[in-house]
Short mmCIF file of all heavy atoms in Angstrom, two decimals:
data_model
loop_
_atom_site.label_atom_id
_atom_site.label_comp_id
_atom_site.label_asym_id
_atom_site.label_seq_id
_atom_site.Cartn_x
_atom_site.Cartn_y
_atom_site.Cartn_z
N LYS A 1 49.41 4.50 -2.48
CA LYS A 1 49.55 5.79 -1.66
C LYS A 1 48.37 6.02 -0.73
O LYS A 1 47.21 5.66 -0.95
CB LYS A 1 49.49 7.04 -2.59
CG LYS A 1 50.74 7.30 -3.43
CD LYS A 1 50.61 8.50 -4.29
CE LYS A 1 51.64 8.65 -5.23
NZ LYS A 1 51.56 9.84 -6.00
N LYS A 2 48.61 6.57 0.47
CA LYS A 2 47.61 6.81 1.44
C LYS A 2 46.82 8.01 0.93
O LYS A 2 47.39 9.01 0.53
CB LYS A 2 48.24 7.07 2.86
CG LYS A 2 47.16 7.38 3.89
CD LYS A 2 47.79 7.29 5.25
CE LYS A 2 46.74 7.71 6.26
NZ LYS A 2 45.44 7.37 6.28
N ARG A 3 45.43 7.83 1.18
CA ARG A 3 44.56 8.93 0.86
C ARG A 3 44.22 9.70 2.10
O ARG A 3 43.80 9.02 3.06
CB ARG A 3 43.42 8.54 0.12
CG ARG A 3 43.59 8.13 -1.37
CD ARG A 3 42.47 7.67 -2.08
NE ARG A 3 41.29 8.53 -1.90
CZ ARG A 3 40.96 9.65 -2.67
NH1 ARG A 3 41.78 9.88 -3.67
NH2 ARG A 3 39.79 10.35 -2.48
N TYR A 4 44.44 10.95 2.20
CA TYR A 4 44.11 11.68 3.44
C TYR A 4 42.83 12.44 3.22
O TYR A 4 42.35 12.76 2.18
CB TYR A 4 45.23 12.71 3.73
CG TYR A 4 46.48 12.02 4.08
CD1 TYR A 4 47.54 11.92 3.17
CD2 TYR A 4 46.65 11.58 5.34
CE1 TYR A 4 48.72 11.34 3.56
CE2 TYR A 4 47.77 11.04 5.79
CZ TYR A 4 48.90 10.85 4.88
OH TYR A 4 50.04 10.24 5.11
N ASP A 5 42.16 12.55 4.42
CA ASP A 5 40.94 13.51 4.48
C ASP A 5 41.45 14.86 4.91
O ASP A 5 41.87 15.02 6.09
CB ASP A 5 40.00 12.85 5.53
CG ASP A 5 38.60 13.52 5.61
OD1 ASP A 5 38.46 14.63 5.01
OD2 ASP A 5 37.75 12.97 6.22
N ILE A 6 41.31 15.81 3.93
CA ILE A 6 41.81 17.13 4.20
C ILE A 6 40.79 18.21 4.14
O ILE A 6 39.95 18.23 3.20
CB ILE A 6 42.88 17.55 3.18
CG1 ILE A 6 44.06 16.41 3.13
CG2 ILE A 6 43.42 18.89 3.35
CD1 ILE A 6 44.98 16.56 1.93
N ALA A 7 40.75 19.13 5.06
CA ALA A 7 39.81 20.30 5.04
C ALA A 7 40.59 21.45 4.77
O ALA A 7 41.69 21.67 5.26
CB ALA A 7 39.16 20.33 6.47
N VAL A 8 40.05 22.31 3.97
CA VAL A 8 40.65 23.63 3.57
C VAL A 8 39.78 24.76 3.97
O VAL A 8 38.53 24.73 3.40
CB VAL A 8 40.99 23.66 2.05
CG1 VAL A 8 41.59 25.01 1.66
CG2 VAL A 8 41.89 22.54 1.67
N ALA A 9 40.21 25.52 4.89
CA ALA A 9 39.37 26.75 5.43
C ALA A 9 39.69 27.88 4.45
O ALA A 9 40.74 28.41 4.45
CB ALA A 9 39.80 26.96 6.85
N GLY A 10 38.62 28.25 3.65
CA GLY A 10 38.72 29.38 2.83
C GLY A 10 38.87 28.95 1.41
O GLY A 10 39.64 28.13 0.99
N THR A 11 38.06 29.71 0.63
CA THR A 11 38.01 29.26 -0.92
C THR A 11 38.35 30.42 -1.74
O THR A 11 37.68 30.66 -2.79
CB THR A 11 36.61 28.62 -1.31
OG1 THR A 11 35.66 29.58 -1.08
CG2 THR A 11 36.33 27.38 -0.57
N GLY A 12 39.25 31.33 -1.31
CA GLY A 12 39.73 32.36 -2.19
C GLY A 12 40.82 31.77 -3.13
O GLY A 12 40.82 30.52 -3.36
N HIS A 13 41.63 32.64 -3.74
CA HIS A 13 42.59 32.01 -4.63
C HIS A 13 43.48 30.93 -4.04
O HIS A 13 43.80 29.89 -4.67
CB HIS A 13 43.48 33.26 -5.16
CG HIS A 13 42.81 33.98 -6.24
ND1 HIS A 13 42.05 35.15 -6.04
CD2 HIS A 13 42.80 33.82 -7.57
CE1 HIS A 13 41.53 35.59 -7.15
NE2 HIS A 13 41.94 34.76 -8.15
N VAL A 14 44.06 31.19 -2.84
CA VAL A 14 44.96 30.33 -2.31
C VAL A 14 44.32 29.00 -1.88
O VAL A 14 44.62 27.91 -2.17
CB VAL A 14 45.65 30.98 -1.12
CG1 VAL A 14 46.60 29.98 -0.25
CG2 VAL A 14 46.65 32.13 -1.62
N GLY A 15 43.16 29.16 -1.01
CA GLY A 15 42.47 28.00 -0.57
C GLY A 15 41.94 27.10 -1.69
O GLY A 15 42.03 25.89 -1.66
N LEU A 16 41.38 27.73 -2.73
CA LEU A 16 40.67 26.93 -3.78
C LEU A 16 41.74 26.26 -4.65
O LEU A 16 41.58 25.12 -5.09
CB LEU A 16 39.70 27.77 -4.58
CG LEU A 16 38.73 27.00 -5.46
CD1 LEU A 16 38.02 25.99 -4.75
CD2 LEU A 16 37.78 28.00 -6.20
N SER A 17 42.87 27.02 -4.81
CA SER A 17 43.98 26.37 -5.58
C SER A 17 44.48 25.20 -4.94
O SER A 17 44.69 24.09 -5.50
CB SER A 17 45.13 27.40 -5.73
OG SER A 17 44.75 28.40 -6.49
N ILE A 18 44.74 25.33 -3.60
CA ILE A 18 45.23 24.21 -2.77
C ILE A 18 44.24 23.01 -2.79
O ILE A 18 44.61 21.75 -3.01
CB ILE A 18 45.60 24.52 -1.38
CG1 ILE A 18 46.82 25.53 -1.37
CG2 ILE A 18 45.80 23.37 -0.39
CD1 ILE A 18 47.01 26.28 -0.03
N ALA A 19 43.01 23.39 -2.65
CA ALA A 19 41.89 22.27 -2.52
C ALA A 19 41.73 21.62 -3.80
O ALA A 19 41.67 20.36 -3.93
CB ALA A 19 40.60 22.97 -2.20
N THR A 20 41.88 22.36 -4.97
CA THR A 20 41.80 21.65 -6.14
C THR A 20 42.90 20.79 -6.53
O THR A 20 42.83 19.55 -6.98
CB THR A 20 41.66 22.81 -7.41
OG1 THR A 20 40.77 23.75 -6.96
CG2 THR A 20 41.23 22.12 -8.63
N LEU A 21 44.09 21.23 -6.16
CA LEU A 21 45.36 20.37 -6.43
C LEU A 21 45.27 19.05 -5.43
O LEU A 21 45.52 17.94 -6.01
CB LEU A 21 46.58 21.20 -6.25
CG LEU A 21 46.88 22.17 -7.25
CD1 LEU A 21 47.97 23.14 -6.86
CD2 LEU A 21 47.04 21.63 -8.62
N LEU A 22 44.93 19.27 -4.22
CA LEU A 22 44.99 18.15 -3.30
C LEU A 22 43.79 17.16 -3.65
O LEU A 22 44.09 15.89 -3.35
CB LEU A 22 44.88 18.65 -1.76
CG LEU A 22 46.17 19.29 -1.21
CD1 LEU A 22 45.70 19.93 0.09
CD2 LEU A 22 47.23 18.52 -1.20
N ALA A 23 42.74 17.67 -4.11
CA ALA A 23 41.55 16.78 -4.41
C ALA A 23 41.91 15.74 -5.58
O ALA A 23 40.99 14.87 -5.83
CB ALA A 23 40.47 17.58 -4.73
N GLN A 24 42.90 15.92 -6.29
CA GLN A 24 43.31 14.93 -7.26
C GLN A 24 43.63 13.57 -6.64
O GLN A 24 43.40 12.56 -7.34
CB GLN A 24 44.37 15.44 -8.17
CG GLN A 24 44.07 16.69 -8.99
CD GLN A 24 45.27 17.17 -9.82
OE1 GLN A 24 45.57 16.68 -10.77
NE2 GLN A 24 46.00 18.06 -9.20
N ASN A 25 44.19 13.66 -5.40
CA ASN A 25 44.72 12.47 -4.81
C ASN A 25 44.13 12.19 -3.46
O ASN A 25 44.54 11.23 -2.80
CB ASN A 25 46.24 12.42 -4.76
CG ASN A 25 46.98 12.38 -6.17
OD1 ASN A 25 46.56 11.53 -6.92
ND2 ASN A 25 47.65 13.43 -6.42
N HIS A 26 43.36 13.11 -2.94
CA HIS A 26 42.87 13.03 -1.59
C HIS A 26 41.41 13.47 -1.38
O HIS A 26 40.90 14.23 -2.34
CB HIS A 26 43.75 13.79 -0.62
CG HIS A 26 45.12 13.49 -0.65
ND1 HIS A 26 45.62 12.37 -0.09
CD2 HIS A 26 46.26 14.09 -1.23
CE1 HIS A 26 46.94 12.31 -0.32
NE2 HIS A 26 47.32 13.32 -0.98
N LYS A 27 40.68 13.14 -0.35
CA LYS A 27 39.39 13.66 -0.20
C LYS A 27 39.46 14.99 0.47
O LYS A 27 40.04 15.18 1.62
CB LYS A 27 38.64 12.69 0.80
CG LYS A 27 37.30 13.12 1.09
CD LYS A 27 36.50 12.16 2.10
CE LYS A 27 35.12 12.76 2.35
NZ LYS A 27 34.62 12.36 3.56
N VAL A 28 38.97 16.03 -0.22
CA VAL A 28 39.14 17.36 0.33
C VAL A 28 37.79 17.95 0.47
O VAL A 28 36.77 17.89 -0.31
CB VAL A 28 39.82 18.31 -0.69
CG1 VAL A 28 39.95 19.71 -0.22
CG2 VAL A 28 41.29 17.65 -0.95
N THR A 29 37.57 18.60 1.70
CA THR A 29 36.33 19.42 2.01
C THR A 29 36.74 20.82 2.17
O THR A 29 37.55 21.17 2.92
CB THR A 29 35.81 18.88 3.25
OG1 THR A 29 35.44 17.46 3.18
CG2 THR A 29 34.43 19.62 3.67
N ALA A 30 36.26 21.63 1.20
CA ALA A 30 36.49 23.13 1.27
C ALA A 30 35.39 23.76 2.00
O ALA A 30 34.24 23.55 1.89
CB ALA A 30 36.52 23.70 -0.16
N VAL A 31 35.87 24.66 3.02
CA VAL A 31 34.88 25.25 3.99
C VAL A 31 34.86 26.77 3.66
O VAL A 31 35.99 27.39 3.56
CB VAL A 31 35.41 25.06 5.48
CG1 VAL A 31 34.45 25.70 6.33
CG2 VAL A 31 35.44 23.50 5.74
N ASP A 32 33.75 27.28 3.58
CA ASP A 32 33.50 28.81 3.41
C ASP A 32 32.37 29.23 4.14
O ASP A 32 31.49 28.36 4.51
CB ASP A 32 33.47 29.20 1.94
CG ASP A 32 33.93 30.60 1.58
OD1 ASP A 32 33.31 31.50 2.07
OD2 ASP A 32 35.06 30.70 1.12
N ILE A 33 32.19 30.53 4.31
CA ILE A 33 31.10 30.99 5.04
C ILE A 33 30.03 31.74 4.08
O ILE A 33 28.99 32.25 4.53
CB ILE A 33 31.38 32.13 6.13
CG1 ILE A 33 32.17 33.30 5.41
CG2 ILE A 33 32.32 31.41 7.16
CD1 ILE A 33 32.43 34.45 6.32
N ILE A 34 30.34 31.68 2.81
CA ILE A 34 29.50 32.23 1.67
C ILE A 34 28.73 31.21 1.06
O ILE A 34 29.32 30.44 0.19
CB ILE A 34 30.25 33.13 0.82
CG1 ILE A 34 30.97 34.22 1.58
CG2 ILE A 34 29.32 33.70 -0.28
CD1 ILE A 34 31.99 35.02 0.75
N PRO A 35 27.54 31.00 1.21
CA PRO A 35 26.69 29.96 0.64
C PRO A 35 26.69 29.93 -0.81
O PRO A 35 26.82 28.79 -1.55
CB PRO A 35 25.16 30.27 1.09
CG PRO A 35 25.31 31.16 2.33
CD PRO A 35 26.54 31.83 2.12
N GLU A 36 26.88 31.02 -1.55
CA GLU A 36 26.85 31.06 -3.07
C GLU A 36 28.29 30.42 -3.48
O GLU A 36 28.22 29.70 -4.52
CB GLU A 36 26.82 32.56 -3.56
CG GLU A 36 25.45 33.15 -3.29
CD GLU A 36 25.32 33.73 -1.95
OE1 GLU A 36 26.32 33.86 -1.08
OE2 GLU A 36 24.12 34.07 -1.47
N LYS A 37 29.37 30.75 -2.86
CA LYS A 37 30.66 30.12 -3.09
C LYS A 37 30.61 28.62 -2.92
O LYS A 37 31.05 27.89 -3.93
CB LYS A 37 31.79 30.66 -2.40
CG LYS A 37 32.11 32.00 -2.66
CD LYS A 37 33.16 32.69 -1.91
CE LYS A 37 34.55 32.22 -2.29
NZ LYS A 37 35.66 32.86 -1.62
N VAL A 38 29.98 28.07 -1.86
CA VAL A 38 29.86 26.78 -1.69
C VAL A 38 29.08 25.99 -2.79
O VAL A 38 29.48 24.96 -3.23
CB VAL A 38 29.30 26.41 -0.28
CG1 VAL A 38 28.88 25.03 -0.06
CG2 VAL A 38 30.26 26.96 0.80
N GLU A 39 27.91 26.65 -3.14
CA GLU A 39 27.07 26.00 -4.22
C GLU A 39 27.87 25.97 -5.51
O GLU A 39 27.78 25.06 -6.10
CB GLU A 39 25.79 26.84 -4.30
CG GLU A 39 24.83 26.30 -5.27
CD GLU A 39 23.50 27.06 -5.35
OE1 GLU A 39 23.23 28.01 -4.64
OE2 GLU A 39 22.74 26.81 -6.32
N LEU A 40 28.53 27.02 -5.87
CA LEU A 40 29.26 27.10 -6.98
C LEU A 40 30.33 26.01 -7.11
O LEU A 40 30.41 25.16 -8.19
CB LEU A 40 30.01 28.39 -7.43
CG LEU A 40 29.14 29.49 -7.80
CD1 LEU A 40 29.77 30.87 -7.68
CD2 LEU A 40 28.55 29.34 -9.37
N ILE A 41 31.06 25.85 -6.08
CA ILE A 41 32.04 24.67 -5.99
C ILE A 41 31.49 23.37 -6.17
O ILE A 41 31.81 22.56 -6.90
CB ILE A 41 32.93 24.81 -4.70
CG1 ILE A 41 33.70 26.18 -4.80
CG2 ILE A 41 33.93 23.70 -4.56
CD1 ILE A 41 34.33 26.60 -3.53
N ASN A 42 30.36 23.11 -5.47
CA ASN A 42 29.70 21.73 -5.53
C ASN A 42 29.11 21.53 -6.89
O ASN A 42 28.76 20.46 -7.23
CB ASN A 42 28.72 21.68 -4.38
CG ASN A 42 29.23 21.51 -3.07
OD1 ASN A 42 30.31 20.94 -3.03
ND2 ASN A 42 28.56 21.96 -1.92
#
């Protein structure tokens, strides 16, 4: 399978759900404007 590089803008319920599911098979970068959320996810 081809692996895609996917960016997800927003890490609320919808964005983080999508990012988590896609990251099982693709490279996903989640983007947010809140440093604390970014740190927690990382």
